[in-house]
Amino acid sequence: PLGRPKSIRRALHLAPPWLLDDYIPRYHLISSVDAARKRSEAYAHLRECNLCPRLCGVNRYEKTGVCLIGAEKVKVNTIAPHFGEEPCFQGHNGSGSVFFSGCNLRCVFCQNHDIAHQPNGFDLTPEELAEWYMKLQEVGRVHNINLVTPEHVVPQVVLSILHARELGLRLPVIYNTSSFDSLESIRLLDGLVDIYLPDFKVWNNATSKRLLKADNYTATAMESIKAMHAQVGDMCFTADGIAKKGVMVRHLVMPGLEDEGREIVKWLAENVSKDMMVHIMEQYFPRAHVGKPRRGAAKEGVVVVEPGGVKASSDTKPRVRYQDINRPVDLDEVASVREAAEKARLWRFIEAAKHGGFNI
């Protein structure tokens, strides 16, 4: 009939669940009672250390365990704005990275061997560490506080975050880990960490024993990543493309081990989340002990073949340690893992931003 408006269908755009209008770091949302409880638990962990599956059980006020780090201070190699992270973490101003010395793994191929396996750096109390967080925020104007290889210093990290909260820290905290954490450690971090950035290195136990020098790595990584995801969920961003909350899993594809990478991405999709953000990394290169002469070879006059140096001749190859991974990863191996991830219905991948900006 005349005068009756024609029916109009309106299409409304709803923001995806991973887009945030604003973000308040989780450590500002816990009560003073919970903060006091976490401080007490942190000191208890240091008196009988169970921060990782090695379960040293030592009183770190008196002696050290596998990680060689005591109780009252942490050893830090570098603190600075870092531009080598994923675009959603480094942004324009960098990620406020704190590289801790020491590690509870002994990866023979460690890509940060000079930091993680060497006692280099300077000692800081949790309070001094918190003051460095503030310098990164106020002077560096970084987008987050990125704690790199912190598995063995979780109690000190907890104390530092709680102190920085009182000083006025307002940046998201990233826990950048190998995933060789105990559940007790992950529970202690609940409410203090905004972003978990775990590696999932290898799949087979034989591989972890040989290359990581650790038993039950895979089962531990599974347990840890599930616990992390239960706390913060899938990765979320503000409209500027900066990550604020969630889990991103990294997998460094290694030469000849792409089968293990395919199992890892399949497990993530089937057991954690198909919306999991994943970074399939291709920058593996022989480092640390890989490519060094076998023990005793130097006495026999064999020329040392350094990673990236002159290709070893056929008669010297058998004398090189970890010969099977003594080469850069092939891009076909990386593509194989990516294909398996897509087949498992994972779809949120980190890739180099060709437009030079952010890449969600």
Side-chain angles (χ1 to χ4, degrees), residues 100 136 163:
F100 293 101
L136 288 169
H163 186 65

Side-chain angles (χ1 to χ4, degrees), residues 74-91 93-101 112 115 122 124 128-150 153 157 160 169 171-177 195 197 250:
V74 297
K75 187 172 286 292
V76 176
N77 185 281
T78 304
I79 300 179
H82 184 47
F83 293 87
E85 303 288 15
E86 289 80 357
C88 59
F89 299 137
Q90 70 181 39
N93 299 332
S95 177
S97 296
V98 181
F99 289 88
F100 293 101
S101 299
N112 288 323
I115 294 175
F122 50 100
L124 296 174
E128 291 169 334
L129 190 56
E131 291 169 3
W132 272 102
Y133 299 163
M134 297 304 298
K135 291 177 184 178
L136 288 169
Q137 174 179 279
E138 303 301 331
V139 180
R141 303 183 67 81
V142 297
H143 301 287
N144 44 64
I145 301 298
N146 186 357
L147 307 171
V148 185
T149 322
V153 291
V157 161
S160 70
L169 187 68
L171 298 175
V173 171
I174 301 177
Y175 186 75
N176 192 337
T177 172
I195 296 170
L197 189 54
R250 289 169 163 172

